[in-house]
Amino acid sequence: MSAERFPMQDQLLSILNALEDGIFITDLRGRPLWVNRASLDQLECSEQHLFASDIYRLEEEGVFSPSVTRFVIDECRPVSVVHRYRGKDYLVNGRLFSLYGEEPDAVLVQTRNLGEDVLATRAPDETQALLDYALRQLRKVRQEQVRPLDKDARLSRSPAYRRCLDLIERAAATDTTVLLTGETGVGKSWLVSRLHQLSARHEHPLIHVNCAAIPETLLEAELFGHVKGAFTGASREGREGYVALAEGGTLFLDEIGDLPATLQPKLLQLLQERVYHPLGGKPTQADVRIVAATNADLAEKVQEGSFRSDLYYRLNIIPVRVPPLRERREDILALARHLLVRVGERQQRPMQLDRSALRALLKHSWPGNVRELENLLERMTVVCDATLITADDLDLEESNEQSSSLVPDKGLPDGGTLPERLAELERRLVIETLEQEGSTRRTARALGVSQSWLMRRVRRYGIGP
């Protein structure tokens, strides 16, 4: 029942749907997250209507009389009642519980028919044991969803990218609109997935809409949906748009800079009032978080008049600039090894990079960023005869920019003790980064050190202006 709203493995759904007890789960705002078949049969309410409402509206309609979920939310304690509903007696137990952390974040209501014929089919303790098992497994599913994201995040040693990740994690704790900017292929979609999984909306859908990939004539209907007969060729039953599909979750508008001017005021209304208009339909409330991304300069588009300034300011509440790969060279080697393992598993051909290949990766300018790196490594698993990839296999052009500090053009310092050679490498790195950044404050940030530490090294090595 509505598994897309509540991520669970098939076996867990089967367990919960096999229970004769009704199971009804909501968030702390009373919005349904999941319901099993037994609960739908008891309520005699359609699944579509249930998930389009909340427990307060359902109680007004008489679907719940009274709503135990409301009592649990209002009183923050377990509630048990026995009441007669449609000629049958039910024991209804409601309690707060935690699916995704230590603090309660959901309400579980378990409804048991007190008729003797039902009680005889399964012992109550057996039912409770199955339910407890399913909930434990559900927590594991959630942990497995977040763990790969955390693993990928730990790959970064770049101060610039670590700041980007930190901002994403801070934004995830709020419900504010986020705008990601950066070149094509830097990994904006991955960051949006991380934002969604870390947010309070993680149990609801993440809907990805590429504004540049849908024809302008169809984009409004795709985004906001339409009622039956709204236009020539419209579906007879009408159609839900992406906004409705993202209800309760996150709507990711990629390539937002290509949004047609005719749709910009409608998106602005959605952002400001959380209201949208399906084609041919009435105003509809939406509970979605908007995240947008672009590789275009929206401020420049505002100056040109092709993008509304008020929409830009509504989108740009939390701006996140994703640095290109050439600005986070500290991450290239670890990222390349990680991607090569992942690609090798997918192609069922494990491979490795030799020393010359690693140096070539560091010297390349990466105009296509992380996507270019991943595509290159996947190509190597197909075309390379040997399992060890060399620089000749990669056939990469060296960057015209100043060479990376990680592979100094002058080579390693000759002679002297190990501390002396390391000090010389440190001196070169400080000088090179100062030349690139132009100030000690930006240099300290790029090196991931404090400005006082940097100034001590400047004085120690006698580095002039």
Side-chain angles (χ1 to χ4, degrees):
M1 302 283 114
S2 289
E4 72 276 3
R5 295 175 178 270
F6 202 52
M8 288 192 285
Q9 294 174 335
D10 291 341
Q11 58 266 37
L12 300 184
L13 293 171
S14 299
I15 291 172
L16 291 176
N17 276 319
L19 299 177
E20 279 118 359
D21 288 5
I23 304 299
F24 183 53
I25 300 175
T26 72
D27 62 19
L28 296 184
R29 287 185 279 183
R31 297 178 306 179
L33 299 179
W34 196 83
V35 59
N36 71 347
R37 295 191 182 97
S39 187
L40 283 177
D41 292 341
Q42 293 166 1
L43 296 172
E44 298 184 8
C45 175
S46 72
E47 182 182 359
Q48 183 178 9
H49 180 68
L50 192 74
F51 283 103
S53 309
D54 57 35
I55 54 107
Y56 303 100
R57 177 179 168 187
L58 294 168
E59 187 175 22
E60 290 177 358
E61 295 172 353
V63 176
F64 302 123
S65 182
S67 169
V68 171
T69 302
R70 178 174 60 81
F71 289 153
V72 173
I73 294 173
D74 291 347
E75 300 179 16
C76 296
R77 65 175 180 84
V79 175
S80 295
V81 299
V82 176
H83 71 265
R84 193 167 185 80
Y85 182 67
R86 301 188 190 277
K88 296 179 181 179
D89 291 324
Y90 292 92
L91 172 64
V92 186
N93 296 310
R95 60 186 172 92
L96 294 168
F97 78 112
S98 173
L99 275 175
Y100 306 118
E102 296 180 359
E103 295 297 322
D105 50 24
V107 178
L108 170 68
V109 172
Q110 182 179 0
T111 307
R112 177 167 299 164
N113 189 337
L114 294 180
E116 292 183 1
D117 55 332
V118 176
L119 289 176
T121 60
R122 177 172 290 164
D125 55 347
E126 180 184 350
T127 298
Q128 189 61 47
L130 280 172
L131 178 58
D132 290 343
Y133 169 77
L135 294 178
R136 285 196 302 271
Q137 295 302 311
L138 184 57
R139 292 189 185 96
K140 291 182 180 179
V141 171
R142 169 62 182 155
Q143 291 168 358
E144 291 300 320
Q145 289 174 334
V146 176
R147 190 173 295 121
L149 293 171
D150 290 338
K151 181 179 179 181
D152 288 350
R154 286 195 297 269
L155 288 173
S156 179
R157 295 169 53 197
S158 160
Y161 196 67
R162 293 300 305 178
R163 286 193 297 274
C164 177
L165 290 172
D166 181 63
L167 190 53
I168 286 291
E169 291 177 7
R170 289 172 180 269
T174 72
D175 219 19
T176 307
T177 303
V178 176
L179 176 64
L180 291 94
T181 59
E183 299 176 6
T184 298
V186 292
K188 296 188 288 291
S189 296
W190 181 88
L191 287 170
V192 174
S193 296
R194 179 172 178 81
L195 172 70
H196 177 73
Q197 291 292 343
L198 293 175
S199 75
R201 295 177 176 268
H202 49 245
E203 70 271 20
H204 295 285
L206 168 62
I207 301 297
H208 184 169
V209 182
N210 190 320
C211 299
I214 303 174
E216 182 176 344
T217 54
L218 299 177
L219 185 55
E220 182 175 1
E222 292 291 315
L223 193 58
F224 299 118
H226 63 82
V227 300
K228 59 181 180 181
F231 54 88
T232 304
S235 168
R236 291 181 179 179
E237 295 78 22
R239 181 176 177 181
E240 284 189 325
Y242 290 122
V243 176
L245 293 175
E247 181 68 18
T250 303
L251 181 65
F252 173 32
L253 300 176
D254 202 0
E255 304 297 346
I256 191 67
D258 292 319
L259 189 71
T262 54
L263 285 186
Q264 291 178 23
K266 299 180 180 182
L267 177 59
L268 181 62
Q269 183 184 29
L270 177 62
L271 284 165
Q272 291 184 156
E273 304 172 18
R274 291 296 187 261
V275 171
Y276 68 99
H277 291 252
L279 284 177
K282 299 179 180 179
T284 304
Q285 288 288 331
D287 177 21
V288 294
R289 180 188 194 159
I290 306 295
V291 178
T294 181
N295 57 13
D297 187 339
L298 288 187
E300 184 177 325
K301 283 182 169 286
V302 169
Q303 293 293 327
E304 295 171 353
S306 59
F307 202 86
R308 291 177 63 112
S309 60
D310 48 3
L311 177 57
Y312 170 64
Y313 294 126
R314 286 295 302 178
L315 289 170
N316 201 40
I317 296 176
I318 300 183
V320 178
R321 177 186 176 271
V322 187
L325 192 54
R326 63 182 174 276
E327 291 182 12
R328 41 182 294 220
R329 293 187 180 274
E330 308 95 320
D331 295 344
I332 290 176
L333 299 187
L335 189 58
R337 292 187 178 103
H338 172 73
L339 291 174
L340 188 58
V341 169
R342 192 164 71 184
V343 170
E345 290 175 349
R346 187 165 64 235
Q347 300 291 345
Q348 296 184 341
R349 193 184 181 201
M351 303 189 74
Q352 291 182 320
L353 296 155
D354 78 352
R355 191 174 185 84
S356 67
L358 295 175
R359 292 175 65 86
L361 293 176
L362 286 168
K363 291 185 176 182
H364 186 55
S365 61
W366 299 110
N369 295 294
V370 179
R371 184 182 297 130
E372 179 189 0
L373 174 60
E374 184 170 13
N375 291 343
L376 171 66
L377 296 174
E378 185 163 4
R379 182 163 69 248
M380 292 299 100
T381 63
V382 176
V383 303
C384 285
D385 295 327
T387 58
L388 188 65
I389 302 171
T390 67
D392 291 337
D393 295 323
L394 296 175
D395 192 24
L396 290 173
E397 294 182 1
E398 289 191 12
S399 170
N400 292 327
E401 302 172 2
Q402 191 172 4
S403 298
S404 167
S405 310
L406 301 175
V407 187
D409 288 339
K410 298 178 182 178
L412 295 174
D414 294 324
T417 64
L418 178 59
E420 290 171 344
R421 298 174 74 184
L422 290 175
E424 175 59 21
L425 279 175
E426 185 179 74
R427 187 186 70 83
R428 292 185 191 177
L429 179 58
V430 169
I431 292 174
E432 180 179 323
T433 311
L434 276 168
E435 291 174 349
Q436 291 175 349
E437 299 296 332
S439 77
T440 56
R441 181 176 58 82
R442 290 196 295 270
T443 298
R445 184 187 305 161
L447 293 175
V449 298
S450 67
Q451 193 169 9
S452 60
W453 182 95
L454 178 64
M455 293 308 299
R456 287 196 297 272
R457 292 307 187 274
V458 168
R459 287 192 294 269
R460 175 184 298 178
Y461 298 127
I463 300 173

